Structure formats: C-alpha cells, structure tokens
Amino acid sequence: MNILLTAISAKYIHSNLAVYSLKAASGPYEPMVTLAEYTINHRTDDIFSSIYRKKPDLLFFSCYIWNRTEILEVAANIRKVLPHTVIWVGGPEVSYDASELLAENPQIDGVMTGEGERTFKRLLEYYVDHVGTLGDIPGIVYRERCESGNAGEEAGEGSSGENAGIRYQRPEDTMKTLDGLPFVYHHIEDFANRIIYYESSRGCPFSCSYCLSSIDRRVRFRSPELVECELAFFLEHRVPQVKFVDRTFNCNHSHAQRIWRFIQEHDNGVTNFHFEIAADLLNEEELALLSAMRPGLVQLEIGIQTVNERTLEAIHRTASFSQIADRVRRIAAHRNIHQHLDLIAGLPYEDFESFCTSFDAVYSLKPQDLQLGFLKVLKGSEMYLRREEYGLVYRSRPPYEVLATRWISCDELLRLKEVEEMLEVYYNSQQFRNTMEELELYFDRPFDMYASLADYYKEEKLQDKAHSRQQRFSILREFIRKTVAVRQGYRRRRQDDSRIAGCMWSVPQTEQEALQQFDERLTLDLYLRENVRSRPEWAENNSENYDRIAAFYRNEEQVRAVLPSYGEMNWKQMMRMTHVEHFCRLGDETDGAWILFDYENRDPLTYDAAVHRILI
C-alpha cells in the first residue's frame, strides 16, 4: 500500500517535525510510508501534480493556519482524479472544528484530532491489515462511509456519500512522557541547509487566551538522559541550528538547567540552539548559566505581547513588564545571546496609543529582533470564544488575522502594518543599526521614527516595490536629510557612548555636521555587513587614500597583528578580503579614525564584520 504523508511549510528551510514523527512512529508500516514536503511558495497546481504522480492509496496532510487553504484546494483536486485515495488531515488548524470541516469539505475522509503518533499507527493497522474498526480508534472524526473500506470511491464528485453521517471518537489520553516517541533525525543528511526542530516537552502550564496551547495545560517531558543523547547527535554532526518547539522551555527549572548546562559543556563552536522561554521565570542560577554561554550558542524568543496591565490581565499573562525587562537587560549586558521579543497588536483593551507605548517600551530593550505581530483569532482559543464581547473583526480565511476591535480601528491596524514593514527593513535586518540609533534622537519616541519613515515611503511612492540593499540606504539617506532639515536644532541626549572600535562619535553642532555624521554612519553600516565594490555616492572619496592604506597592508608585522587569522595570505589578498575606511567625525576631532573591517570574523549576534581601529 502506498501511504503518503504531506507537509506544506512556510519556507524551504523549515522542516515539518509532525510528519517525520508520524512516519517514525508507524512501526512495521514505516517502509510503506513516504514523505512529500512543499512550501506555500509552490503553486498549488505543482503540489497537486506531484502528489497525483505518486498515486497514494492513503494521503495524510499536516494542517496549520498558513497552509489550510492550499491543502483543501489540493485535496479537492486529488479527490476528482484519484477517487479511490483515502484522504485524512490532522494538526491544530483542523482539530477544533473537525466535524464542521468534514461537513464543508466532502473531499476529506477523516480528521486526526489528538496526539497523532499512536492514532496514525492504529489507522494504518486498520487500512493495511484490517485490524478492528475505525470506531475502535480514539482521537479521530470520520465519515461513516469510511467503515466500508471504499471511502475514497464513495466520496467522488457528485457522490451521494457527501451527506454521509460524521462520527466523533473522543481523544485518546495524552502520553504521560515523551520517551515513547522515536528520534526522527537518524538520516541527518536529509536535513542539509534546513532548521532542525526538536521537542523536549509538550504542553504549556500557562493559559494565554490567544493561544491554542492553553487548552491543554499538562506538560509532559522527554527524559533528560534521552534528550542529552539526541542533542549529542546534533552536536556530533555539527548541524547549524536546533530549534526547540517547546511552548515554554523553562517552565521546569531542573529540565531547562540540565539541558542548558549540557549544551554549554559540549559546545562544538558551530551549533546554535533556539528556545522559547518565559523571561520572568529565569532564576539567578539560570541567568548565571546563560551569561557564560559562547556568543551565538543560544538564542531566546520571549513573548512580551504588551505592557498594558489591563490587557495583560485580560489575556491571562501574569508576569509584569518590569520583571521581564529586568531579565532581558541582564541577558543583553553580556552581549552573547540573541534575543527575539514579540508584540501583538489587536489585543483587548489596547488602543492605538497604548500599543505605541508598548512598542516604545519593548524597543527600548534593544533586542536583536522585535516582531510586531497581529492577533490571530484561532478557533478553540478563549479569544475566539469571546470574539463578540471584544468586538473582534478578523479575516474569514486563515490565518484569521484581526482587522479591528472595540479599541482599535482597521485604519489604525493598517497603520501598524506600515510601521511593521519599516521595522523589518531598518531594524530587524540589523543592517542600519548605527544610523537608526542616531536618527532616533531626532524624534520624540521610536514609534514616531518608523511611522514617519512609512509616511515617506508613501509620499515617494516607494511602498510595494522591490528595493536593493543599496537603494534602501539611499532612501534612508534622503529621508534623513529631510528629517534633519525639518527638525533642525532638535536632538535628544544620547544615553550611551555610541562607540565603534573604541572611538566615540562627536556630537553634531550644526545641520551640516549632522548630515556629515549621518553619511558616515550610513557608510559604516554599509561596510559592516558587506565589502561592497560599488562605492556609495555619499561616501568620502577613498581613492586618494589608496597609497596610505596600501602602505598599512605592506607592513607585515603591523597588519598581521590586526589580522592574525589570515594565515599565509599575502598583503594584496588581505587587502582584497578586508576594507579600510576613514571617518572624519569618529574619534579624534582633528584626524578622525581609520577603521578596518574584517569579514572573516563576525559578530555572532549581528553578523557585523569585526572592526579594528588602525593607525595609518
């Protein structure tokens, strides 16, 4: 029998842990099971063609909010041309309203509603070896016609079976531990250039009203001995990243500490581990452990969502912003851990101004990544059940994103969408950091800076266009020149030293000095990421400095003291692989500073080239 497990991921680099886990848990049926992985960037026609050519007898889809629409379309077309194929779906996006989904989609024969590993195996026992009946299998919703063994044929186009009765089997009791789940990555070569997703626990002890994880608050763990063995496998194979899918990784202190200690002690210098945590739960021992990690070994995702206290109460978030901010700042002080912070727009009791306050507060923590997300009204969540009370207007199709609430209008949410786009380009890319830090001082608050930048894009008709990196710099430069001209004389005091390679920027006293420094900051940001060959128009003419720069590289003792990792390369090779730039307004007032950009060595948090101040 030909059994096909199908996943449609958001991006190619994502692997679908669910289908791999189902296949690995299928026991004696595993040789019959094949996997087909696609992305939402594939055309549905191409996905259909690929599946059709495989001619599956049993076809299973893994459903989420980002792929439900595509899956239902593909399944409908498969049903028309492969009427004997039995089609099942499973996953969080179809579990809550399984009966409704079957009633509206005659192409689907059944839905797996609970933990899938045991259910999947029992379905294969039924279809392959004819063991028992579907009515014996917990955790499924199916059409009565499926019991005949000819489910697919009866569901063909125009079949009277479309109105067949729907049977609901209560979910099976969840597994008490995760130790019974097989390890799915033995053929690690199949995951080259992809993120490895790993599960050391299931469930979440919290009850956030917008999250489906709040429905089942029982947390089950994989034993630490087993976790360590499997992490050692990843480390041995030097995989680039392991992303834990645990909903709140550090909800159990001993579990989190043991795993963090293990990856610290067995660090291979390459593998990065990603964890979603509750920052307020971090204790002193855990903070000390994190502070000692190699830079880049660990990255943390922390959901803050809002700083509005009434909103926090309404969504059942117990931690105060001050608690979280304290932990975030203490982690950031060691400059060794990438922090990703989340905000959600459209939550109850948060209006536009309140969200701006939340944005500014979280932005002030200076994470490496700040995600401005929008509420998804997920079926089965408390937010969905209270949608009328909160006046939630949201998209009819997945991902059910909020359009308006009692507190925030559609116009205001669209305004936040514009700000989100600017935030992604000019903050989360980490490519304009030094420029944006200075530009922020010309605005009353950070939110206003990104809002003004969004307005500039609209005024110049720059939105909805593809821009190169160089063009983004040029656009930002023109926006800066307009901003400084309009806000001449307004510049807030900087709270930090704003240093680069030990040098501090001088404070501009005039509009001309401000524009000169911005040009230098743009040049700095440009070369921090890439040794561009096409020199920007605003940068100082570097050709007249060629002889002085070349003389530095010819001095072998001097250059190798700065670039010891360049081995036996000659001075011309080192000059070609690095870059030297002169900054008039950085360092000494008279001669400025000479900065060397070392692209072989980069900051693991920002990916910036290492920088050295040199004497020429």
Side-chain angles (χ1 to χ4, degrees):
M1 183 172 281
N2 183 0
I3 304 162
L4 184 64
L5 278 166
T6 305
I8 303 178
S9 300
K11 297 179 181 178
Y12 169 76
I13 61 170
H14 298 168
S15 56
N16 185 296
L17 179 58
V19 295
Y20 284 93
S21 188
L22 292 181
K23 176 177 170 63
S26 61
Y29 307 101
E30 185 173 0
M32 302 179 187
V33 179
T34 56
L35 302 180
E37 289 190 88
Y38 311 95
T39 76
I40 57 176
N41 295 318
H42 284 98
R43 296 190 311 147
T44 52
D45 285 349
D46 293 335
I47 298 173
F48 160 77
S49 300
S50 175
I51 294 175
Y52 172 76
R53 291 190 178 98
K54 299 178 191 300
K55 300 294 194 297
D57 300 300
L58 294 175
L59 175 58
F60 294 82
F61 286 99
S62 176
C63 297
Y64 300 87
I65 57 174
W66 62 80
N67 65 18
R68 171 175 167 143
T69 301
E70 290 82 358
I71 284 173
L72 293 178
E73 178 184 343
V74 170
N77 290 329
I78 289 292
R79 168 64 67 231
K80 294 174 182 178
V81 293
L82 296 176
H84 294 281
T85 296
V86 179
I87 303 176
W88 282 76
V89 295
E93 178 51 27
V94 294
S95 296
Y96 176 75
D97 62 345
S99 298
E100 179 182 339
L101 178 129
L102 289 177
E104 296 175 353
N105 295 276
Q107 72 271 31
I108 306 298
D109 293 306
V111 181
M112 298 164 56
T113 61
E115 286 185 316
E117 287 84 2
R118 287 179 292 182
T119 301
F120 180 66
K121 184 179 179 182
R122 294 189 66 175
L123 282 172
L124 298 191
E125 291 173 348
Y126 169 75
Y127 283 111
V128 178
D129 291 331
H130 310 293
V131 175
T133 68
L134 286 177
D136 298 326
I137 304 175
I140 61 173
V141 180
Y142 66 98
R143 303 182 189 280
E144 289 180 346
R145 65 167 186 250
C146 293
E147 292 282 11
S148 70
N150 296 311
E153 183 175 5
E154 293 186 20
E157 187 173 15
S159 166
S160 60
E162 291 181 8
N163 297 318
I166 294 172
R167 294 280 303 276
Y168 172 85
Q169 298 293 111
R170 65 170 182 80
E172 189 170 21
D173 293 337
T174 56
M175 292 175 278
K176 293 182 179 179
T177 76
L178 302 188
D179 286 1
L181 297 179
F183 183 64
V184 304
Y185 294 110
H186 292 295
H187 298 288
I188 196 68
E189 66 276 4
D190 294 340
F191 298 90
N193 303 315
R194 304 178 75 184
I195 298 172
I196 298 296
Y197 291 95
Y198 183 79
E199 185 176 37
S200 76
S201 69
R202 279 184 185 175
C204 181
F206 302 108
S207 55
C208 301
S209 64
Y210 50 81
C211 181
L212 289 179
S213 296
S214 64
I215 296 175
D216 181 5
R217 298 178 63 184
R218 293 168 293 178
V219 184
R220 283 85 32 75
F221 296 91
R222 204 161 173 82
S223 65
E225 296 80 10
L226 193 54
V227 172
E228 290 175 353
C229 179
E230 292 165 351
L231 295 185
F233 176 86
F234 296 139
L235 290 163
E236 178 185 350
H237 287 84
R238 301 173 72 82
V239 301
Q241 185 178 57
V242 177
K243 191 167 186 177
F244 278 67
V245 296
D246 305 41
R247 298 307 301 162
T248 306
F249 174 76
N250 64 326
C251 65
N252 180 294
H253 291 293
S254 61
H255 179 80
Q257 288 175 24
R258 179 161 175 175
I259 292 174
W260 281 339
R261 191 170 292 110
F262 178 85
I263 64 175
Q264 180 195 33
E265 293 172 353
H266 297 83
D267 179 18
N268 61 11
V270 173
T271 304
N272 162 268
F273 294 89
H274 176 104
F275 303 93
E276 186 172 343
I277 69 163
D280 56 295
L281 296 183
L282 292 171
N283 59 32
E284 293 300 325
E285 184 176 357
E286 289 161 347
L287 286 167
L289 185 58
L290 290 170
S291 71
M293 298 285 190
R294 166 181 62 84
L297 174 59
V298 163
Q299 62 186 53
L300 301 177
E301 182 174 348
I302 300 167
I304 296 179
Q305 321 312 9
T306 179
V307 304
N308 184 309
E309 293 185 0
R310 189 174 183 188
T311 301
L312 288 170
E313 181 180 359
I315 63 176
H316 312 309
R317 300 276 293 186
T318 57
S320 69
F321 175 68
S322 61
Q323 286 178 300
I324 297 174
D326 172 71
R327 304 303 194 277
V328 170
R329 291 191 183 99
R330 291 175 65 180
I331 292 170
H334 298 282
R335 294 190 52 77
N336 66 328
I337 291 178
H338 179 285
Q339 294 190 88
H340 169 125
L341 306 185
D342 292 329
L343 280 169
I344 297 179
L347 293 172
Y349 302 104
E350 181 140 81
D351 59 18
F352 184 81
E353 186 57 36
S354 170
F355 185 83
C356 294
T357 299
S358 293
F359 179 96
D360 292 334
V362 177
Y363 187 90
S364 71
L365 299 178
K366 300 298 181 186
Q368 280 69 43
D369 198 302
L370 172 55
Q371 180 177 327
L372 197 171
F374 294 80
L375 177 67
K376 311 294 190 297
V377 186
L378 303 178
K379 295 178 180 179
S381 68
E382 180 184 330
M383 198 66 66
Y384 174 79
L385 299 176
R386 302 181 70 173
R387 60 193 183 279
E388 293 185 6
E389 175 187 349
Y390 292 149
L392 300 181
V393 180
Y394 56 95
R395 299 183 186 276
S396 303
R397 299 175 64 185
Y400 314 112
E401 189 172 275
V402 69
L403 298 171
T405 75
R406 279 177 51 194
W407 299 273
I408 194 166
S409 69
C410 186
D411 285 331
E412 290 168 332
L413 284 171
L414 291 176
R415 175 69 162 160
L416 294 182
K417 283 282 186 181
E418 297 169 351
V419 170
E420 177 199 23
E421 183 178 353
M422 295 297 98
L423 185 72
E424 286 296 316
V425 172
Y426 290 107
Y427 183 84
N428 288 338
S429 71
Q430 293 286 307
Q431 296 183 30
F432 306 86
R433 189 178 62 261
N434 292 281
T435 304
M436 299 304 285
E437 283 182 355
E438 178 68 12
L439 182 59
E440 183 186 332
L441 303 181
Y442 287 80
F443 291 87
D444 295 317
R445 60 184 188 180
F447 182 90
D448 292 344
M449 175 175 65
Y450 291 99
S452 296
L453 192 49
D455 288 339
Y456 180 75
Y457 264 68
K458 286 192 294 185
E459 291 165 5
E460 300 298 322
K461 296 180 172 55
L462 298 168
Q463 73 272 38
D464 302 324
K465 294 181 180 179
H467 301 287
S468 68
R469 182 167 179 258
Q470 288 269 29
Q471 288 171 330
R472 294 287 191 188
F473 273 93
S474 297
I475 292 169
L476 180 58
R477 182 174 185 261
E478 291 307 311
F479 172 73
I480 289 169
R481 299 180 83 78
K482 176 181 177 181
T483 298
V484 172
V486 171
R487 301 177 67 83
Q488 183 179 357
Y490 179 85
R491 181 183 183 275
R492 291 187 291 119
R493 184 182 300 275
R494 180 173 295 284
Q495 300 299 313
D496 56 60
D497 287 341
S498 185
R499 294 178 182 270
I500 182 76
C503 306
M504 187 164 67
W505 294 97
S506 57
V507 178
Q509 302 299 320
T510 66
E511 178 182 345
Q512 182 180 3
E513 289 179 0
L515 294 176
Q516 289 173 345
Q517 185 179 128
F518 271 118
D519 280 353
E520 290 200 348
R521 285 177 178 269
L522 287 164
T523 303
L524 171 66
D525 283 328
L526 183 68
Y527 282 106
L528 276 172
R529 189 58 62 91
E530 181 183 1
N531 190 4
V532 294
R533 299 305 178 190
S534 177
R535 192 163 178 80
E537 60 183 13
W538 66 82
E540 176 187 351
N541 186 352
N542 220 24
S543 59
E544 61 187 38
N545 295 320
Y546 178 84
D547 291 339
R548 294 180 68 182
I549 295 172
F552 164 79
Y553 282 99
R554 288 194 187 97
N555 186 329
E556 184 171 349
E557 181 179 355
Q558 185 180 23
V559 72
R560 292 201 183 281
V562 178
L563 302 172
S565 64
Y566 282 67
E568 300 302 316
M569 292 183 187
N570 61 43
W571 73 270
K572 288 185 178 180
Q573 290 172 313
M574 286 189 282
M575 187 174 180
R576 187 165 53 250
M577 294 182 66
T578 60
H579 179 77
V580 170
E581 188 75 28
H582 180 247
F583 295 91
C584 296
R585 300 192 58 78
L586 183 63
D588 301 331
E589 292 286 342
T590 53
D591 192 38
W594 293 89
I595 302 296
L596 184 148
F597 298 82
D598 174 4
Y599 299 101
E600 291 296 297
N601 297 283
R602 293 181 178 270
D603 186 317
L605 302 189
T606 64
Y607 201 62
D608 283 349
V611 293
H612 312 275
R613 185 180 186 183
I614 59 176
L615 299 177
I616 291 185

